[in-house]
């Protein structure tokens, strides 16, 4: 279902870019423990697309998502997100940019255990200056939409893994960020819930000024993608365009 392309990110390219990464490197640790997680990675995500990233464990997928989202500093290279050069911003300005523009669904959910579900999902609105009653109203509506109506006042620890993941998804979407980044978003979800969430993400990606980037091993997700990027050993190795993915449901 995916055809390989030689992707050209020059300004002449017909597709406007949401994310443009050039030669980005990132190492963790020092001496013997030093790990070169990103080795001069080049990567693009277009406006209005859902992009899937695949690759073996440890190849740098989570690290790449984290530097794009502005949650992790990188050592060298350039990252533009919606034409904002992250490599030129001060940490405080990156935080501000992330707050407004990025929704991140973490592999480990990262929910706040002392807050109930409504409070957890309200956080991105509150830090963007929305008043609590309006924030909680919106959070409740989204929890309901994701099948968690009636659980609003529960703490995350009272929920199953799949339910916690849906709360993490609600929290990433509630402030309607231009970029949604998901690290394995369907891993703990049953088939039906996973499909519902992928449809929600695809609808978000259909906005011409937004994009959705999903890291996954789950081949049920591939049919929702516009393109697929393959990573290997700290770099992007291949980019695939998807063709007629609606016609090929169930064939992957
Ligand atoms: N905080 C960290 N400290 C030390 N090493 C790390 C850290 N995060 C990731 N790494 C290492 O960087 C490499 C890439 O990790 P990661 O981006 O998590 O890969 P993936 O998400 O593709 O499984 C791995 O070798 C991993 O062990
Ligand atoms: Mg990972």
């Amino acid at each position: 279902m995916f055809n390989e392309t030689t992707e050209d990110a020059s300004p002449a390219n017909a597709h406007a870019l949401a994310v443009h990464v050039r030669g980005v490197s990132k190492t963790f640790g020092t001496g013997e423990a030093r790990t070169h997680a990103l080795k001069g990675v080049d990567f693009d995500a277009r406006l209005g697309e859902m992009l899937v990233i695949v690759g073996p464990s440890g190849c740098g997928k989570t690290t790449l998502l984290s530097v794009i989202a502005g949650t992790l500093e990188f050592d060298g290279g350039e990252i533009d997100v919606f034409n904002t050069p992250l490599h030129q911003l001060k940490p405080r300005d990156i935080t501000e940019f992330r707050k407004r523009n990025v929704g991140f669904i973490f592999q480990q959910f990262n929910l706040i255990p002392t807050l109930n579900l409504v409070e957890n999902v309200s956080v991105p609105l509150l830090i963007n200056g929305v008043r609590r009653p309006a924030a909680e109203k919106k959070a409740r509506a989204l929890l309901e939409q994701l099948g968690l109506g009636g659980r609003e006042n529960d703490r995350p620890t009272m929920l199953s893994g799949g339910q916690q993941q849906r709360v993490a998804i609600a929290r990433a979407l509630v402030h309607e960020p231009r970029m949604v980044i998901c690290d394995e978003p369907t891993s703990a979800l049953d088939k039906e819930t996973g499909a519902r969430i992928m449809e929600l993400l695809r609808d978000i990606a259909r906005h011409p000024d937004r994009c959705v980037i999903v890291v996954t091993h789950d081949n049920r997700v591939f049919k929702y993608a516009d393109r697929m990027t393959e990573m290997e050993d700290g770099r992007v190795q291949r980019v695939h365009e998807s063709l007629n993915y609606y016609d090929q449901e169930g064939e992957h």
Side-chain angles (χ1 to χ4, degrees):
M1 75 193 271
F2 287 94
N3 274 7
E4 201 170 318
T5 57
T6 49
E7 185 61 13
D8 173 16
S10 68
N13 191 308
H15 301 281
L17 295 178
V19 181
H20 190 36
V21 172
R22 280 145 295 167
V24 165
S25 56
K26 173 69 186 176
T27 53
F28 291 106
T30 51
E32 294 265 298
R34 194 170 163 86
T35 307
H36 211 157
L38 298 177
K39 300 178 176 174
V41 63
D42 296 326
F43 168 85
D44 291 317
R46 297 171 182 160
L47 290 170
E49 83 170 342
M50 161 113 64
L51 180 75
V52 163
I53 301 176
V54 295
S57 180
C59 74
K61 303 182 297 296
T62 296
T63 306
L64 178 63
L65 292 185
S66 304
V67 296
I68 292 169
T71 58
L72 181 69
E73 287 185 30
F74 50 102
D75 304 333
E78 300 184 352
I79 301 182
D80 290 287
V81 181
F82 305 126
N83 289 320
T84 302
L86 298 190
H87 49 283
Q88 289 173 4
L89 295 189
K90 297 192 183 78
R92 195 182 34 170
D93 295 329
I94 291 185
T95 303
E96 190 62 27
F97 179 81
R98 178 176 70 238
K99 226 163 73 175
R100 297 200 178 283
N101 293 291
V102 183
F104 203 130
I105 303 165
F106 298 91
Q107 217 164 354
Q108 315 297 341
F109 312 148
N110 294 9
L111 299 172
I112 302 168
T114 53
L115 301 183
N116 70 29
L117 304 196
V118 174
E119 292 164 339
N120 262 286
V121 174
S122 299
V123 166
L125 293 170
L126 297 175
I127 64 176
N128 276 301
V130 177
R131 289 178 180 275
R132 185 172 291 277
E136 295 200 344
K137 190 171 173 210
K138 203 161 178 201
R140 281 176 198 282
L142 193 49
L143 284 166
E144 173 86 47
Q145 195 186 342
L146 290 171
L148 290 164
R151 307 299 303 266
E152 294 91 344
N153 298 322
D154 289 352
R155 300 283 165 92
T157 48
M158 297 162 75
L159 271 54
S160 71
Q163 289 169 331
Q164 289 186 37
Q165 197 160 27
R166 277 184 271 162
V167 179
I169 289 164
R171 185 186 54 186
L173 303 182
V174 73
H175 57 309
E176 299 177 30
R178 289 184 70 188
M179 179 163 69
V180 180
I181 291 184
C182 327
D183 208 347
E184 309 264 359
T186 56
S187 56
L189 300 177
D190 62 77
K191 196 169 173 221
E192 199 180 310
T193 313
R196 191 149 25 116
I197 282 160
M198 289 316 297
E199 278 156 23
L200 187 65
L201 292 173
R202 188 175 61 192
D203 289 346
I204 292 167
R206 286 289 169 265
H207 287 254
D209 62 344
R210 296 196 189 177
C211 87
V212 177
I213 303 173
V214 185
V215 162
T216 188
H217 295 287
D218 183 351
N219 61 13
R220 296 174 303 176
V221 170
F222 297 165
K223 66 170 179 272
Y224 297 96
D226 298 304
R227 290 191 305 151
M228 180 192 278
T229 290
E230 267 184 64
M231 281 188 78
E232 219 173 276
D233 193 25
R235 292 191 188 89
V236 167
Q237 291 296 358
R238 275 173 291 275
V239 180
H240 305 268
E241 298 278 342
S242 102
L243 289 176
N244 306 322
Y245 53 87
Y246 289 110
D247 300 337
Q248 307 206 4
E249 237 158 84
E251 276 187 27
H252 40 268

